[in-house]
Amino acid sequence: MAPYESDRTAGAEGSPDEADDVRAGRRKAARYVVPVAVVGVAAATIGLVPALADSGDPSLPKITAQQLIEKIAKSDVQQLSGTVKVSTDLGLPSLGGLESGLLSGATKGSGGSSADPQSKLMELASGTHTVRVAADGPDKAKVSVLESAAEYSVIHNGDDVWAYDSKSNEVYHSTAPAAEKGQEKAPKDVPTTPKELADEALKSVDDTTSVTVDGTAQVAGRDAYRLLIKPKQSGSTVGAITVAVDAKTGVPLKFTLVPTSGGAAVVDAGFTQVDFAKPAASTFDFTPPKGAKVTEGKDSKDFKGPKGFEHFKDSKGSKAPESAPTRGDLGKGLDGLKTIGKGWSTIAEFDTGGQGMPSGSSSEGGDVSGFLNSLGDHVKGKFGSGTVFSTRLVNALITDDGKVYAGAVTKDALVKAANAAH
């Protein structure tokens, strides 16, 4: 079906007040920030999405992109349950099992439990996963990652947040501070629902972005509009983002991102089944199984519940999320983090303090620099020389003198930025 409006930025139509409301909503949703490192960026880039596979082309009333964005923002759904299929293909090189070791190490460093959500949910950043979700208002949510012979679940019920890994029979528990009871949470973990992915994508909507309604679709048996988000700028690795929005409720049902390089989607997450009825109260009950190892977390400042459910709150006055990382968050612990450019071509720049690519040999006698260089492309320019590490979405240039340039941009864009900063 042909798009309902031409290739122009959403918000161009309607009254000045309406346009101001939309722009204010976008600002409230937070600014678009580019991840600053390739190794840790997999989880962050799941917040972008497009390749929409639908199962129909229903006839629906025409709607503008501005109206559809407002429909998402005003969605007041409080309860739902369903199954989400998440596929992620960042094109990361295989490290022969090293990825699992890194995740395991991160888990041990953050509390010693394999059930700790901070690292466990990062596994969604690669491969294909089936996720079962449920929510009942702001204080009850459950996300379960289904595996072939095991299940990992995170349950937020009132003051308690539980995480259980059936494979290791380990439990992680944390509580919400009294000051946050009844308030909207701001979780910082990997987004797991099309709603959260859509919120992340909408943060990029500004004058560098084309937003249109690209026909209709049917997802999980429900009629939906397709919102198409595309960069107007050159140099971005993001080709397009498509969000299937439920025509009745305004809830995003499917979220897909395709890169400019083409091929399969980098991220494709969508409901295969969804129900907006109130889940049974027992859905959110949890008691540690007999014999399980239980690790106590500090409080919800460490983990505030499954990401993607923070919009389930009072139905009056739904707001865009404000939980995106800020420039200060990304720069914490980094020397002089700053950004170059704007919009989809934004590049993060920071200094590691003169620590470029490691050299020499590892304790096992292997050539560390040679191994790392084999994972990247050596480049030269006015800035000197360095190595570009690439995924299908985010690239990072590490110069030999310790400067880092990273973003959802091409290798040429990174080299150009490094030359200009020289």
Side-chain angles (χ1 to χ4, degrees):
M1 180 177 290
Y4 287 147
E5 78 180 36
S6 60
D7 189 16
R8 56 179 177 272
T9 302
E13 298 182 359
S15 68
D17 288 341
E18 290 174 335
D20 288 343
D21 288 343
V22 173
R23 284 191 291 269
R26 293 173 189 158
R27 288 193 296 271
K28 195 173 293 184
R31 307 294 195 283
Y32 171 73
V33 182
V34 176
V36 297
V38 170
V39 174
V41 85
T45 53
I46 200 173
L48 298 175
V49 185
L52 182 67
D54 57 62
S55 57
D57 192 22
S59 178
L60 295 171
K62 290 186 177 182
I63 189 173
T64 66
Q66 176 181 329
Q67 291 170 333
L68 192 51
I69 290 174
E70 291 172 346
K71 192 176 185 70
I72 296 172
K74 293 177 181 178
S75 177
D76 60 358
V77 169
Q78 294 291 297
Q79 295 93 21
L80 70 73
S81 59
T83 302
V84 178
K85 182 178 179 181
V86 181
S87 297
T88 311
D89 180 8
L90 287 166
L92 294 169
S94 173
L95 302 182
L98 180 59
E99 306 97 317
S100 299
L102 290 172
L103 288 173
S104 176
T107 298
K108 293 178 181 178
S110 60
S113 173
S114 67
D116 188 341
Q118 297 284 13
S119 58
K120 187 67 177 180
L121 291 180
M122 285 186 67
E123 294 178 10
L124 293 176
S126 64
T128 297
H129 303 271
T130 298
V131 182
R132 188 177 296 137
V133 300
D136 184 6
D139 296 319
K140 291 185 177 182
K142 181 176 181 178
V143 172
S144 298
V145 181
L146 309 182
E147 300 176 0
S148 57
E151 180 174 321
Y152 175 78
S153 295
V154 179
I155 305 100
H156 174 209
N157 192 346
D159 296 341
D160 295 300
V161 175
W162 296 94
Y164 176 58
D165 182 3
S166 69
K167 182 182 295 184
S168 63
N169 198 29
E170 292 193 21
V171 175
Y172 181 89
H173 175 246
S174 65
T175 58
E180 291 187 356
K181 293 178 182 178
Q183 296 182 11
E184 179 182 3
K185 307 299 187 290
K188 299 178 181 179
D189 294 273
V190 179
T192 53
T193 69
K195 165 66 179 175
E196 177 58 29
L197 293 172
D199 287 339
E200 293 294 322
L202 290 176
K203 291 170 191 175
S204 63
V205 175
D206 56 19
D207 59 2
T208 69
T209 310
S210 162
V211 184
T212 59
V213 177
D214 187 29
T216 63
Q218 191 171 73
V219 178
R222 298 187 64 89
D223 292 347
Y225 293 101
R226 302 202 311 178
L227 186 68
L228 181 63
I229 303 170
K230 298 179 68 174
K232 289 182 178 179
Q233 301 166 299
S234 61
S236 174
T237 55
V238 177
I241 292 173
T242 306
V243 183
V245 182
D246 187 73
K248 184 175 181 180
T249 66
V251 172
L253 299 174
K254 190 172 177 67
F255 190 52
T256 311
L257 181 151
V258 291
T260 53
S261 59
V266 172
V267 181
D268 188 34
F271 282 99
T272 57
Q273 181 275 326
V274 66
D275 187 343
F276 293 106
K278 180 183 177 72
S282 59
T283 302
F284 311 103
D285 292 339
F286 180 79
T287 300
K290 184 177 180 179
K293 175 186 175 182
V294 179
T295 300
E296 291 290 336
K298 294 179 180 179
D299 53 43
S300 69
K301 287 182 289 186
D302 297 316
F303 179 71
K304 300 183 179 180
K307 185 154 184 144
F309 293 105
E310 67 273 19
H311 67 293
F312 291 101
K313 53 186 178 299
D314 291 341
S315 59
K316 295 185 181 295
S318 176
K319 299 186 298 181
E322 300 181 17
S323 59
T326 64
R327 186 177 301 180
D329 293 330
L330 290 174
K332 196 171 294 183
L334 300 176
D335 181 15
L337 175 71
K338 61 181 180 180
T339 57
I340 301 170
K342 70 175 207 175
W344 300 87
S345 297
T346 300
I347 295 173
E349 175 192 358
F350 64 93
D351 195 334
T352 63
Q355 298 178 359
M357 290 289 294
S359 60
S361 301
S362 68
S363 59
E364 285 76 24
D367 185 347
V368 176
S369 61
F371 170 70
L372 292 177
N373 277 316
S374 70
L375 300 177
D377 297 325
H378 193 68
V379 293
K380 293 183 178 181
K382 294 180 181 178
F383 65 88
S385 60
T387 304
V388 174
F389 296 93
S390 302
T391 72
R392 297 178 67 215
L393 189 62
V394 177
N395 297 321
L397 164 61
I398 303 177
T399 66
D400 291 347
D401 61 358
K403 301 290 193 309
V404 177
Y405 301 86
V409 298
T410 63
K411 178 175 71 174
D412 290 344
L414 292 176
V415 172
K416 183 178 179 180
N419 284 335
H422 179 68

